[in-house]
């Protein structure tokens, strides 16, 4: 077995490599982004009862690895500081009375959330259809004009649509839940097929795992060394990100082609 | 906008479909598993400081959807009931002083963990290399003879190797961390290339996102209607699971071929 000192030396080296990658980009390359804005540093994620664990943690895992190269902050926002459970609110949504529902504990309420966030992420999940999302929708509507980027994952686009912030914008959502979610935003220019869609400062992904592909594309676009960092993080995570046109699920779920990419 | 009643009717229908899928399998089909054991119902996941969020939540998200069809239970185990942070223990592992480290709150300590678990999941993450894992390793060593299935994700195989429970068994781990992790288990028959490896009741996955592929294979194998449920869950999650031979990362990270699948 390796000594613990050796282990930590190896780990430090890996971190150093990531850090070095983050700072060794003064020479422009063909893959370098031309985004002139400062890179996003302050992230928040909007939590509500019965959010999907992967909608939230799929993007957060690569961002945590990015946080080895940038001083990122993450706020977990909810209506109160009580833990937010993934247990569905209605017993009919849990017909076998399963007990498989971890919680996340918020860092801020909507009332105490940081102002002027760089990125606000809205996940989906069974809870995104709840009629009891008024505090979440009110926060989203109020915060939207002040955030630099809004990211929706999966049926989180339904929450954003209910807040009205997607009206007139191009967006996508989960293809199995397509009819249900798009009905929440008749003024939205819903796009299919698409793995994810960018319209100005609004990024929206298709279902659940599409959030991983969106966040890799976001990292590439937003950070000066984003292409290199995304490749490093994806390699260590053993993930090959899809591009925005990958979408076998639109045809699987008979979603009609509209507002094409 | 759909009325809330319509929304919940639609949601109930989706759940009913999942439930129906779970019970309408009395007719054997070519895809039906022949596993004669009762399906696993009690799951636990071993948490330690600086676990990877996706190692944990990648498998948990599909299992939560499976919990619409089976009365699954999930225990979150740790040395104490304090929230387990993803923040690395060493400041050198957080060189930019980022603040991007959600916690999970355990449901049990190792001392109060349920006995005779069906499935114990060991995730990886930076913390899997920590010298300070004695309570976790002691628990794993003691619980291993009593669990029906052990699942390791990513560098979680290193934790299991340090507990000695992989000795003489075939297993795999993260390909970027290959040398570091395999050195923790010189008695393990490490397998590469491989997306995941099954040796008896031990299932081990490659890095991070490979945990998703492993859990879909596990669902297919373990539940009478597993193939149908896995397809339904993967479709709704917009995920196309890889098979066990998918592994572009072994060559990417120069991992030599050994103990082939």
């Amino acid at each position: 077995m390796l000594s613990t000192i050796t282990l930590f030396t190896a780990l430090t080296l890996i971190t150093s490599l990531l850090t070095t990658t983050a700072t060794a980009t003064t020479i422009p390359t063909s893959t370098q982004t031309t985004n002139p804005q400062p890179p996003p540093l302050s992230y928040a994620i909007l939590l509500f009862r019965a959010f999907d664990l992967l909608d939230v943690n799929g993007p957060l895992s690569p961002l945590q690895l990015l946080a080895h190269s940038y001083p990122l902050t993450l706020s977990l926002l909810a209506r109160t500081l009580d833990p937010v459970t993934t247990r569905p609110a209605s017993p009919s949504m849990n017909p076998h009375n399963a007990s498989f529902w971890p919680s996340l504990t918020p860092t801020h309420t909507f009332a105490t959330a940081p102002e002027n966030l760089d990125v606000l992420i809205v996940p989906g999940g069974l809870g995104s259809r709840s009629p009891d999302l008024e505090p979440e929708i009110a926060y989203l509507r109020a915060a939207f004009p002040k955030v630099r980027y809004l990211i929706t994952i999966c049926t989180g686009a339904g929450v954003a649509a209910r807040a009205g912030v997607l009206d007139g914008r191009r967006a996508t959502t989960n293809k199995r839940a397509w009819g249900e979610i798009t009905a929440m935003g008749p003024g939205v220019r819903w796009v299919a097929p698409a793995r994810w869609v960018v319209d100005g400062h609004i990024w929206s992904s298709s279902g659940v795992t599409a959030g991983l592909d969106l966040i890799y594309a976001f990292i590439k676009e937003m950070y000066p060394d984003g292409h290199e960092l995304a490749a490093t993080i994806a390699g260590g995570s053993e993930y090959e990100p899809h591009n925005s046109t990958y979408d076998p699920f639109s045809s699987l779920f008979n979603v009609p082609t509209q507002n094409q990419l």
Side-chain angles (χ1 to χ4, degrees), chain A:
Chain A
M1 187 181 296
L2 281 178
S3 74
T4 55
I5 291 172
T6 311
L7 290 178
F8 270 84
T9 305
L11 201 53
T12 307
L13 274 171
I14 291 170
T15 307
S16 303
L17 282 170
L18 282 165
T19 312
T20 305
T21 311
T23 53
T25 53
T26 49
I27 302 168
T29 70
S30 60
T31 58
Q32 198 163 24
T33 176
T34 53
N35 192 322
Q37 301 296 318
L41 299 179
S42 59
Y43 287 74
I45 194 153
L46 190 159
L47 298 178
F48 48 81
R49 183 165 186 166
F51 66 88
D52 184 89
L53 285 173
L54 192 47
D55 286 15
V56 168
N57 292 287
L60 292 191
S61 173
L63 290 172
Q64 285 200 321
L65 296 170
L66 183 69
H68 292 287
S69 301
Y70 286 92
L72 304 187
T73 63
L74 174 67
S75 303
L76 304 176
L77 312 181
R79 55 175 74 183
T80 73
L81 290 178
D82 294 336
V84 182
T85 181
T86 52
R87 180 188 288 270
S90 165
S92 69
M93 297 295 98
N94 187 16
H96 294 272
N97 198 27
S99 178
F100 208 94
W101 316 112
S103 298
L104 275 179
T105 302
T107 59
H108 300 76
T109 67
F110 298 136
T112 65
E115 296 275 336
N116 304 311
L117 290 161
D118 288 332
V119 184
L120 176 61
I121 301 174
V122 182
L126 286 182
S128 65
R129 290 85 155 179
S130 169
D132 177 25
L133 283 186
E134 283 314 316
E136 290 74 16
I137 288 170
Y139 168 73
L140 184 47
R141 195 176 285 138
F144 178 74
K146 293 179 273 184
V147 303
R148 283 179 59 204
Y149 299 98
L150 175 70
I151 292 177
T152 67
I153 311 292
C154 190
T155 55
V159 180
R162 288 161 69 186
V165 301
L166 299 185
D167 282 346
R169 311 302 289 262
R170 292 164 60 82
T172 197
T173 187
N174 185 297
K175 298 309 184 305
R176 189 172 74 185
W178 186 259
E180 183 188 7
I181 299 301
T182 58
M184 297 176 182
V188 181
R189 296 165 60 205
W190 296 104
V191 178
R195 188 65 169 170
W196 75 87
V197 169
V198 182
D199 183 339
H201 66 307
I202 301 175
W203 292 55
S204 57
S205 88
S206 192
V208 189
T209 57
L212 274 170
D213 297 326
L214 179 153
I215 208 68
Y216 279 108
F218 189 79
I219 291 170
K220 286 182 190 172
E221 174 75 16
M222 294 295 153
Y223 297 86
D225 48 351
H227 282 261
E228 294 84 346
L229 278 176
T232 300
I233 294 168
S237 300
E238 299 200 23
Y239 189 65
E240 294 184 294
H242 298 100
N243 63 33
S244 62
T245 59
Y246 164 83
D247 183 1
F249 303 100
S250 279
S251 58
L252 180 66
F253 295 113
N254 301 310
V255 172
T257 297
Q258 55 194 281
N259 297 313
Q260 282 185 267
L261 276 181

